[in-house]
Amino acid sequence: MNGASTTIRVRPGAALRGAVRVPGDKSLSHRALILGALAEGASHARGWLPAGDTLATLGCVRALGIAVEQEDATTLTVHGRGLGGLRAPTAPLDCGHAGTAMRLLVGVLAGQPFASTLDGSAQLRRRPMRRITGPLRQMGAQIADTDGRAPLHFRPAALRGMAHTLPVASAQVKSGLLLAGLFADGPTTVTEPGPARDHTERMLRAMGAGVTTDGFSATLTPGPALRPLDLTVPGDLSSAAFVLAAALLVGGGEVRVNSVGVNPTRTGLLDILAAMGGPVTGERERLEGGEPVADLLVRRADLRGTEVGGDLIVRAIDEFPALMVLATQAAGETVVRDAAELRVKETDRIAVMAGELRKLGAQIDERPDGFRIVGPQRLRGAVVQGHDDHRVAMALTVAGLVADGETVIEDAACAHDSFPGFVETMQALGAEMDWCDHD
Ligand code: S3P
């Protein structure tokens, strides 16, 4: 990519085929750094994601006094200093656009014996933080915020372990609370209404922490020192989602995405696609570092509409921008409900995707907690905006593959927040897509 390019140009007509890999899982890459920092000794991660969001976490962890060696872009050694080993940062910690970095670090900083400040981009400063600061204050945390948002200022506090019941399933909130629980005086339990991703619980358990789960409840009992991690990070299913979506729409043969994480708390999209008549096959299923991994295989399919709600939402939470594009091409009605969380992601993804797809000629019925789309619809190439939201920008490139004529996605450099090499990966499959200096 040209370093200055922020615009992606897409043309239709290509028939995708071939095998690719996608970069490492973003959720696991954040956690490898944060949990690795708290371990006693050197943790190793291969296949780590060097993207905007995770590099922000890397900066924060280093600012907390943790040495991190990068052998190459994707191979890290995190020199953890144990639960009592973080150092007071000398400046506010900058989480960039990364909501996961912020919500997990809130949990870690709440129980430290030093003061600190967590901050982020203007986009992150707009996102709600009371969902995590509220329960932490009940544990005794001393956190000052700005109308429930970042910047967040922490004062030293002794935390009490307690049981929390979350109104909305959120892995970020659950993880922040369990991490705070490492510094509390007794067990911390988090009960959620649905199956939010469980990477933190799996990783903590692999490190020797006292974590038990029961349905949608997880309990952390503080005590043992954390053992270092040795982790191979699988490809990110939420990045693979754009490749799978493109292949379903314009595949010209088999498309494979090798070595993708298929933790069942993350595979909602695969269930939705199966219901839409676009099955994705998993091959060579295996367990790597406590996480299920598979090679995914898909072909073009005539999709049909479906209904999505309930527990499926949290298991597919980052995949709705791509799903909205697929729904415009599926025969019949696709209805998504129970997905109001989409409105507080990097952007209001319901409003932003509906607005941009309308520029391509789509008809979208927006609802407070989802949307209704009746397809198939003809899309016409146009100039659209990525809104500095990586998943919006990438979803719009998939729409461009089926639109008539050329689609130009401006403000798309954000694709690097989670998927460095996205355009190049699509090109490798035959997509007519490039970075351009459009003005
Ligand atoms: C994430 C959890 C999800 C997801 C985000 C990553 C994580 O957010 O949208 O991209 O790594 O824990 P919520 O837990 O707030 O739904």
Side-chain angles (χ1 to χ4, degrees):
M1 164 201 169
N2 172 341
S5 300
T6 58
T7 300
I8 302 174
R9 183 175 51 194
V10 187
R11 291 198 196 86
L16 308 192
R17 66 173 72 216
V20 291
R21 290 180 76 124
V22 293
D25 186 84
K26 182 158 76 69
S27 292
L28 289 171
S29 295
H30 283 299
R31 287 162 173 77
L33 285 169
I34 295 171
L35 277 70
L38 302 175
E40 301 267 358
S43 290
H44 303 284
R46 294 163 295 279
W48 185 78
L49 170 70
D53 278 13
T54 45
L55 288 167
T57 300
L58 176 57
C60 293
V61 162
R62 281 186 170 146
L64 288 165
I66 300 300
V68 182
E69 289 168 70
Q70 245 183 317
E71 206 172 290
D72 56 48
T74 63
T75 312
L76 295 186
T77 302
V78 184
H79 293 277
R81 291 165 43 87
L83 288 169
L86 298 181
R87 298 212 173 110
T90 53
L93 301 176
D94 182 1
C95 298
H97 281 356
T100 307
M102 183 165 281
R103 296 203 178 108
L104 268 58
L105 286 169
V106 171
V108 172
L109 294 176
Q112 297 303 318
F114 52 76
S116 58
T117 297
L118 265 184
D119 205 352
S121 65
Q123 186 190 77
L124 186 53
R125 280 182 170 202
R126 287 194 289 273
R127 297 184 63 186
M129 292 298 149
R130 259 188 206 128
R131 50 181 58 198
I132 174 82
T133 56
L136 282 170
R137 286 185 183 112
Q138 289 173 20
M139 292 171 76
Q142 301 283 325
I143 309 172
D145 59 31
T146 314
D147 196 21
R149 292 172 162 74
L152 304 172
H153 304 284
F154 298 83
R155 283 197 287 131
L159 302 184
R160 293 181 294 277
M162 61 175 284
H164 303 278
T165 301
L166 304 184
V168 174
S170 163
Q172 293 178 351
V173 175
K174 170 176 62 175
S175 301
L177 294 173
L178 293 176
L179 290 174
L182 290 169
F183 304 95
D185 65 356
T188 297
T189 297
V190 185
T191 303
E192 315 177 86
R197 62 194 71 186
D198 63 355
H199 303 304
T200 302
E201 296 91 302
R202 287 176 188 247
M203 218 182 256
L204 281 172
R205 216 178 280 126
M207 298 172 85
V211 177
T212 54
T213 52
D214 177 13
F216 299 150
S217 287
T219 298
L220 179 127
T221 304
L226 299 182
R227 289 193 296 267
L229 286 162
D230 186 30
L231 193 68
T232 300
V233 180
D236 196 327
L237 180 54
S238 296
S239 296
F242 301 102
V243 177
L244 301 175
L248 282 164
L249 298 181
V250 298
E254 193 176 275
V255 171
R256 280 178 170 270
V257 191
N258 288 327
S259 299
V260 182
V262 288
N263 179 315
T265 60
R266 296 284 299 279
T267 50
L269 178 71
L270 304 184
D271 295 351
I272 295 167
L273 293 177
M276 294 178 84
V280 176
T281 311
E283 285 187 353
R284 288 203 314 128
E285 285 191 37
R286 57 222 185 249
L287 213 59
E288 283 179 9
E291 290 278 347
V293 178
D295 298 342
L296 301 182
L297 212 102
V298 71
R299 293 172 174 276
R300 205 202 72 79
D302 291 321
L303 299 177
R304 52 180 184 270
T306 188
E307 288 195 23
V308 185
D311 285 354
L312 253 185
I313 300 296
V314 67
R315 293 179 53 242
I317 192 67
D318 291 337
E319 280 58 88
F320 288 95
L323 182 67
M324 278 175 100
V325 175
L326 290 173
T328 67
Q329 303 308 302
E333 187 180 75
T334 296
V335 178
V336 171
R337 52 175 72 90
D338 307 325
E341 273 298 286
L342 296 175
R343 296 200 179 273
V344 290
K345 292 295 176 186
E346 281 80 338
T347 58
D348 176 341
R349 286 182 171 159
I350 298 174
V352 162
M353 281 303 298
E356 297 307 314
L357 287 173
R358 282 185 195 120
K359 292 182 188 167
L360 298 174
Q363 289 193 352
I364 316 270
D365 177 9
E366 240 191 89
R367 293 174 172 180
D369 69 340
F371 53 86
R372 173 179 173 272
I373 297 175
V374 181
Q377 302 186 12
R378 184 165 174 191
L379 303 182
R380 292 181 302 275
V383 177
V384 292
Q385 306 295 320
H387 293 260
D388 211 8
D389 181 338
H390 51 135
R391 303 207 196 279
V392 167
M394 290 188 278
L396 292 171
T397 69
V398 177
L401 291 172
V402 290
D404 297 339
E406 184 173 282
T407 297
V408 170
I409 300 104
E410 295 181 336
D411 197 11
C414 51
H416 300 292
D417 285 347
S418 62
F419 195 159
F422 168 68
V423 167
E424 294 74 8
T425 301
M426 297 298 275
Q427 286 170 344
L429 292 168
E432 277 204 53
M433 191 182 291
D434 52 27
W435 290 101
C436 68
D437 291 310
H438 165 84
D439 51 24

